[in-house]
Amino acid sequence: MSRSYSRAAVGAAAFAAATATAVLAGPPANAEVTGVSVDLGSEGIVTGCHYRVTATLTDAATPPGTVFFWLSGGVIPGNGERLPGDPIHHPANNTVTTTWTPTQTGPQNLTAIQSVPGQYTSTKFTTINVDGTGLYTGSSCIKTG
């Protein structure tokens, strides 16, 4: 006795198998944040001015939207707030960037977090000292205090 399957049934089964594999695979288990840095201006880092924050990743396959940035004060990471805006994913060079405008002086911890719910999570942080106040002029920043 031979069985016959329609092309639609075979196509639906293949699609379901491919979808299940893609969902289960997610980003590679070894994908992680390897560093976080801030592009310094000529004035150092001061409140009121914009700075580019970059997270470096081990894998370009890390899905967009799974890396975000967190800011906390003091010497120990924790407590704080998520940096506003949507980080930009750059798979060509395994980085994610965002813009940060400091609002207070003193030491700040900038943390990059790569997180996919139910999967691997990694973090790295750097401590930055915001050493004064500034005025953003639209094209540059002037340290005022």
Side-chain angles (χ1 to χ4, degrees):
M1 173 178 197
S2 72
R3 293 188 182 191
S4 170
Y5 297 99
S6 73
R7 285 186 182 179
V10 172
F15 176 77
T19 303
T21 300
V23 169
L24 293 175
N30 62 349
E32 63 182 84
V33 176
T34 59
V36 61
S37 62
V38 179
D39 291 348
L40 301 177
S42 59
E43 71 287 342
I45 295 185
V46 296
T47 62
C49 296
H50 312 292
Y51 302 94
R52 179 175 155 144
V53 180
T54 303
T56 306
L57 310 171
T58 58
D59 198 316
T62 301
T66 61
V67 176
F68 60 94
F69 296 89
W70 192 261
L71 174 68
S72 59
V75 181
I76 301 172
N79 300 324
E81 62 189 34
R82 188 173 178 159
L83 291 184
D86 292 326
I88 300 169
H89 186 241
H90 308 277
N93 62 1
N94 296 356
T95 61
V96 175
T97 60
T98 195
T99 301
W100 172 47
T101 304
T103 59
Q104 59 186 0
T105 59
Q108 305 289 311
N109 291 315
L110 282 170
T111 305
I113 303 168
Q114 180 261 334
S115 177
V116 178
Q119 296 181 18
Y120 184 79
T121 298
S122 72
T123 64
K124 289 289 182 189
F125 80 96
T126 187
T127 301
I128 301 294
N129 190 42
V130 180
D131 45 291
T133 57
L135 174 66
Y136 182 64
T137 65
S139 61
S140 63
C141 185
I142 300 169
K143 187 172 183 177
T144 59

